[in-house]
Amino acid sequence: EGDFHALKAEQRLRVDFQSFPSQVAELLRRCCHAAADAGSTPAGGPAVGSAAGGGGGGGCGGAAPAEGGLRMLASLDCGASGESMLSIIEANQFRELTHIALKLRQGSDEVVKKHLAGKLRACRAECVGLTGQLQISEQALGHSRRQAEELGARVRVVAEERTRLEQTLEATHHRELAELRQEQASSSAERQRLTSEERRRIEEELRGSLEKALARASKAERTSEELHQQRESLAAARASLQERLETT
């Protein structure tokens, strides 16, 4: 952290120690985006060199800025002594502005191994955590599938029961309608038969005696009224049965 304060004073940085890594990462991302944009433009423009003019290779470098535009460039200059300089440069039409220049030193094998070992431990711990989450998710998925299968079986049973009840009710309805129709037909035939017999009887009796014919005619009228009432009662009973069937 003491080196950071010296770097901050030397290069006039405006960020604190906690936000410094994220700001450097953001600048490098801008360099990568600029390189990707440069790769998608037509070739033929001049390339931007390193800021220090040294021999080093570049990181996610960028092409020369288009007219009126800006380009970000990351330049890594490697020296013979193992030290190098990482510069993040913003190039415009007038000049190249160095945002930051960091001196880098090659790490020893022990330091690199410790760093890689730490990363490996973190990856393994993350892998164990993700494996546990995967097992929990698979168990939850299996439980959900079993519940879905159980619900599907219940739905099928309910659907079959409903179909069976509908068929039973329909058969009962048809049977009762057939019985009512048969009863109505029998009653109508019986009434017709009785009426015919009564007419023949009345005609025969009218030939014998007018008074007896009048008396018997009155009796026949009363009988007809009773039969009519019976018919209305049967019709009302039929309508009530039909209403009950339709209600169920």
PDB file of all heavy atoms in Angstrom, residues 1 3 25 78 96 128 130 134 139 146 151-152 166 168-169 172 174 220 246:
ATOM      1  N   GLU A   1       0.829  -1.201   0.000  1.00  0.00           N
ATOM      2  CA  GLU A   1       0.000   0.000   0.000  1.00  0.00           C
ATOM      3  C   GLU A   1       0.872   1.263   0.000  1.00  0.00           C
ATOM      4  O   GLU A   1       0.502   2.279  -0.579  1.00  0.00           O
ATOM      5  CB  GLU A   1      -0.924  -0.012   1.217  1.00  0.00           C
ATOM      6  CG  GLU A   1      -1.959   1.105   1.221  1.00  0.00           C
ATOM      7  CD  GLU A   1      -2.952   0.964   2.346  1.00  0.00           C
ATOM      8  OE1 GLU A   1      -2.889  -0.057   3.077  1.00  0.00           O
ATOM      9  OE2 GLU A   1      -3.800   1.869   2.514  1.00  0.00           O
ATOM     10  N   ASP A   3       3.742   1.519  -1.583  1.00  0.00           N
ATOM     11  CA  ASP A   3       4.138   1.711  -2.978  1.00  0.00           C
ATOM     12  C   ASP A   3       3.019   2.381  -3.773  1.00  0.00           C
ATOM     13  O   ASP A   3       3.283   3.174  -4.681  1.00  0.00           O
ATOM     14  CB  ASP A   3       4.506   0.369  -3.612  1.00  0.00           C
ATOM     15  CG  ASP A   3       5.750  -0.251  -2.982  1.00  0.00           C
ATOM     16  OD1 ASP A   3       6.541   0.509  -2.385  1.00  0.00           O
ATOM     17  OD2 ASP A   3       5.896  -1.485  -3.072  1.00  0.00           O
ATOM     18  N   ALA A  25      -8.535  -2.690 -14.259  1.00  0.00           N
ATOM     19  CA  ALA A  25      -9.240  -3.712 -15.046  1.00  0.00           C
ATOM     20  C   ALA A  25     -10.180  -3.067 -16.061  1.00  0.00           C
ATOM     21  O   ALA A  25     -10.292  -3.529 -17.202  1.00  0.00           O
ATOM     22  CB  ALA A  25     -10.006  -4.651 -14.113  1.00  0.00           C
ATOM     23  N   CYS A  78       9.237  -5.115 -22.302  1.00  0.00           N
ATOM     24  CA  CYS A  78      10.025  -6.043 -21.491  1.00  0.00           C
ATOM     25  C   CYS A  78      11.507  -5.689 -21.608  1.00  0.00           C
ATOM     26  O   CYS A  78      12.030  -5.522 -22.714  1.00  0.00           O
ATOM     27  CB  CYS A  78       9.804  -7.485 -21.954  1.00  0.00           C
ATOM     28  SG  CYS A  78       8.080  -8.035 -21.803  1.00  0.00           S
ATOM     29  N   GLU A  96      -0.541  10.879 -27.819  1.00  0.00           N
ATOM     30  CA  GLU A  96      -0.845   9.724 -26.997  1.00  0.00           C
ATOM     31  C   GLU A  96      -0.715  10.125 -25.527  1.00  0.00           C
ATOM     32  O   GLU A  96       0.318  10.636 -25.106  1.00  0.00           O
ATOM     33  CB  GLU A  96       0.112   8.571 -27.315  1.00  0.00           C
ATOM     34  CG  GLU A  96      -0.056   8.015 -28.723  1.00  0.00           C
ATOM     35  CD  GLU A  96       0.926   6.891 -28.991  1.00  0.00           C
ATOM     36  OE1 GLU A  96       1.780   6.644 -28.120  1.00  0.00           O
ATOM     37  OE2 GLU A  96       0.843   6.275 -30.073  1.00  0.00           O
ATOM     38  N   VAL A 128     -16.472 -28.067  -5.266  1.00  0.00           N
ATOM     39  CA  VAL A 128     -17.194 -28.846  -4.253  1.00  0.00           C
ATOM     40  C   VAL A 128     -18.547 -28.193  -3.941  1.00  0.00           C
ATOM     41  O   VAL A 128     -19.577 -28.867  -3.845  1.00  0.00           O
ATOM     42  CB  VAL A 128     -16.341 -28.971  -2.974  1.00  0.00           C
ATOM     43  CG1 VAL A 128     -17.151 -29.573  -1.836  1.00  0.00           C
ATOM     44  CG2 VAL A 128     -15.121 -29.835  -3.256  1.00  0.00           C
ATOM     45  N   LEU A 130     -20.297 -26.198  -5.886  1.00  0.00           N
ATOM     46  CA  LEU A 130     -21.197 -26.353  -7.039  1.00  0.00           C
ATOM     47  C   LEU A 130     -21.699 -27.788  -7.166  1.00  0.00           C
ATOM     48  O   LEU A 130     -22.851 -28.022  -7.546  1.00  0.00           O
ATOM     49  CB  LEU A 130     -20.466 -25.946  -8.322  1.00  0.00           C
ATOM     50  CG  LEU A 130     -20.135 -24.454  -8.453  1.00  0.00           C
ATOM     51  CD1 LEU A 130     -19.330 -24.201  -9.717  1.00  0.00           C
ATOM     52  CD2 LEU A 130     -21.413 -23.610  -8.464  1.00  0.00           C
ATOM     53  N   LEU A 134     -25.449 -28.881  -7.157  1.00  0.00           N
ATOM     54  CA  LEU A 134     -25.993 -29.709  -8.235  1.00  0.00           C
ATOM     55  C   LEU A 134     -26.743 -30.910  -7.678  1.00  0.00           C
ATOM     56  O   LEU A 134     -27.831 -31.254  -8.164  1.00  0.00           O
ATOM     57  CB  LEU A 134     -24.857 -30.166  -9.150  1.00  0.00           C
ATOM     58  CG  LEU A 134     -25.257 -31.088 -10.311  1.00  0.00           C
ATOM     59  CD1 LEU A 134     -26.249 -30.382 -11.231  1.00  0.00           C
ATOM     60  CD2 LEU A 134     -24.035 -31.535 -11.090  1.00  0.00           C
ATOM     61  N   GLN A 139     -31.820 -33.575  -6.582  1.00  0.00           N
ATOM     62  CA  GLN A 139     -32.794 -34.153  -5.661  1.00  0.00           C
ATOM     63  C   GLN A 139     -34.125 -33.405  -5.721  1.00  0.00           C
ATOM     64  O   GLN A 139     -35.202 -34.025  -5.740  1.00  0.00           O
ATOM     65  CB  GLN A 139     -32.243 -34.130  -4.234  1.00  0.00           C
ATOM     66  CG  GLN A 139     -31.051 -35.058  -4.023  1.00  0.00           C
ATOM     67  CD  GLN A 139     -30.465 -34.931  -2.634  1.00  0.00           C
ATOM     68  OE1 GLN A 139     -30.931 -34.105  -1.816  1.00  0.00           O
ATOM     69  NE2 GLN A 139     -29.444 -35.730  -2.337  1.00  0.00           N
ATOM     70  N   ARG A 146     -41.439 -36.606  -9.317  1.00  0.00           N
ATOM     71  CA  ARG A 146     -42.331 -37.577  -8.666  1.00  0.00           C
ATOM     72  C   ARG A 146     -43.668 -36.951  -8.326  1.00  0.00           C
ATOM     73  O   ARG A 146     -44.728 -37.568  -8.524  1.00  0.00           O
ATOM     74  CB  ARG A 146     -41.654 -38.131  -7.402  1.00  0.00           C
ATOM     75  CG  ARG A 146     -40.483 -39.060  -7.695  1.00  0.00           C
ATOM     76  CD  ARG A 146     -40.065 -39.795  -6.426  1.00  0.00           C
ATOM     77  NE  ARG A 146     -39.558 -38.852  -5.414  1.00  0.00           N
ATOM     78  CZ  ARG A 146     -38.293 -38.491  -5.315  1.00  0.00           C
ATOM     79  NH1 ARG A 146     -37.394 -38.958  -6.183  1.00  0.00           N
ATOM     80  NH2 ARG A 146     -37.914 -37.651  -4.367  1.00  0.00           N
ATOM     81  N   LEU A 151     -49.388 -36.327  -9.434  1.00  0.00           N
ATOM     82  CA  LEU A 151     -50.507 -35.466  -9.810  1.00  0.00           C
ATOM     83  C   LEU A 151     -51.099 -35.889 -11.149  1.00  0.00           C
ATOM     84  O   LEU A 151     -52.323 -35.858 -11.341  1.00  0.00           O
ATOM     85  CB  LEU A 151     -50.040 -34.005  -9.869  1.00  0.00           C
ATOM     86  CG  LEU A 151     -49.668 -33.368  -8.530  1.00  0.00           C
ATOM     87  CD1 LEU A 151     -49.124 -31.967  -8.754  1.00  0.00           C
ATOM     88  CD2 LEU A 151     -50.882 -33.295  -7.609  1.00  0.00           C
ATOM     89  N   GLY A 152     -50.222 -36.283 -12.095  1.00  0.00           N
ATOM     90  CA  GLY A 152     -50.727 -36.754 -13.375  1.00  0.00           C
ATOM     91  C   GLY A 152     -51.579 -38.000 -13.221  1.00  0.00           C
ATOM     92  O   GLY A 152     -52.623 -38.142 -13.863  1.00  0.00           O
ATOM     93  N   GLU A 166     -70.288 -39.669 -16.117  1.00  0.00           N
ATOM     94  CA  GLU A 166     -71.047 -39.071 -17.221  1.00  0.00           C
ATOM     95  C   GLU A 166     -71.747 -40.134 -18.050  1.00  0.00           C
ATOM     96  O   GLU A 166     -72.916 -39.983 -18.440  1.00  0.00           O
ATOM     97  CB  GLU A 166     -70.102 -38.235 -18.098  1.00  0.00           C
ATOM     98  CG  GLU A 166     -69.639 -36.942 -17.442  1.00  0.00           C
ATOM     99  CD  GLU A 166     -68.674 -36.171 -18.315  1.00  0.00           C
ATOM    100  OE1 GLU A 166     -68.248 -36.745 -19.348  1.00  0.00           O
ATOM    101  OE2 GLU A 166     -68.349 -35.016 -17.983  1.00  0.00           O
ATOM    102  N   THR A 168     -72.613 -43.112 -16.990  1.00  0.00           N
ATOM    103  CA  THR A 168     -73.687 -43.684 -16.176  1.00  0.00           C
ATOM    104  C   THR A 168     -74.909 -42.777 -16.157  1.00  0.00           C
ATOM    105  O   THR A 168     -76.055 -43.231 -16.320  1.00  0.00           O
ATOM    106  CB  THR A 168     -73.184 -43.932 -14.746  1.00  0.00           C
ATOM    107  OG1 THR A 168     -72.045 -44.799 -14.785  1.00  0.00           O
ATOM    108  CG2 THR A 168     -74.257 -44.570 -13.891  1.00  0.00           C
ATOM    109  N   LEU A 169     -74.676 -41.485 -15.952  1.00  0.00           N
ATOM    110  CA  LEU A 169     -75.790 -40.538 -15.926  1.00  0.00           C
ATOM    111  C   LEU A 169     -76.495 -40.477 -17.277  1.00  0.00           C
ATOM    112  O   LEU A 169     -77.728 -40.391 -17.350  1.00  0.00           O
ATOM    113  CB  LEU A 169     -75.267 -39.150 -15.531  1.00  0.00           C
ATOM    114  CG  LEU A 169     -74.818 -39.001 -14.070  1.00  0.00           C
ATOM    115  CD1 LEU A 169     -74.203 -37.626 -13.852  1.00  0.00           C
ATOM    116  CD2 LEU A 169     -75.990 -39.202 -13.122  1.00  0.00           C
ATOM    117  N   THR A 172     -78.547 -43.604 -17.622  1.00  0.00           N
ATOM    118  CA  THR A 172     -79.746 -43.503 -16.765  1.00  0.00           C
ATOM    119  C   THR A 172     -80.765 -42.545 -17.361  1.00  0.00           C
ATOM    120  O   THR A 172     -81.983 -42.806 -17.352  1.00  0.00           O
ATOM    121  CB  THR A 172     -79.334 -43.046 -15.361  1.00  0.00           C
ATOM    122  OG1 THR A 172     -78.353 -43.943 -14.839  1.00  0.00           O
ATOM    123  CG2 THR A 172     -80.521 -43.006 -14.429  1.00  0.00           C
ATOM    124  N   HIS A 174     -81.166 -41.741 -20.548  1.00  0.00           N
ATOM    125  CA  HIS A 174     -81.798 -42.360 -21.718  1.00  0.00           C
ATOM    126  C   HIS A 174     -82.807 -43.437 -21.300  1.00  0.00           C
ATOM    127  O   HIS A 174     -83.892 -43.548 -21.884  1.00  0.00           O
ATOM    128  CB  HIS A 174     -80.732 -42.967 -22.626  1.00  0.00           C
ATOM    129  CG  HIS A 174     -79.898 -41.937 -23.348  1.00  0.00           C
ATOM    130  ND1 HIS A 174     -80.440 -40.809 -23.921  1.00  0.00           N
ATOM    131  CD2 HIS A 174     -78.558 -41.863 -23.576  1.00  0.00           C
ATOM    132  CE1 HIS A 174     -79.481 -40.086 -24.488  1.00  0.00           C
ATOM    133  NE2 HIS A 174     -78.324 -40.705 -24.275  1.00  0.00           N
ATOM    134  N   ALA A 220    -119.200 -40.295 -19.063  1.00  0.00           N
ATOM    135  CA  ALA A 220    -118.036 -40.340 -19.954  1.00  0.00           C
ATOM    136  C   ALA A 220    -117.234 -39.041 -19.896  1.00  0.00           C
ATOM    137  O   ALA A 220    -115.995 -39.037 -19.967  1.00  0.00           O
ATOM    138  CB  ALA A 220    -118.490 -40.616 -21.378  1.00  0.00           C
ATOM    139  N   GLU A 246     -81.620 -32.995 -15.898  1.00  0.00           N
ATOM    140  CA  GLU A 246     -80.779 -31.916 -16.406  1.00  0.00           C
ATOM    141  C   GLU A 246     -80.010 -31.248 -15.290  1.00  0.00           C
ATOM    142  O   GLU A 246     -78.882 -30.807 -15.494  1.00  0.00           O
ATOM    143  CB  GLU A 246     -81.653 -30.879 -17.138  1.00  0.00           C
ATOM    144  CG  GLU A 246     -82.263 -31.405 -18.422  1.00  0.00           C
ATOM    145  CD  GLU A 246     -83.240 -30.405 -19.021  1.00  0.00           C
ATOM    146  OE1 GLU A 246     -83.468 -29.347 -18.405  1.00  0.00           O
ATOM    147  OE2 GLU A 246     -83.741 -30.685 -20.117  1.00  0.00           O
TER     148      GLU A 246
END
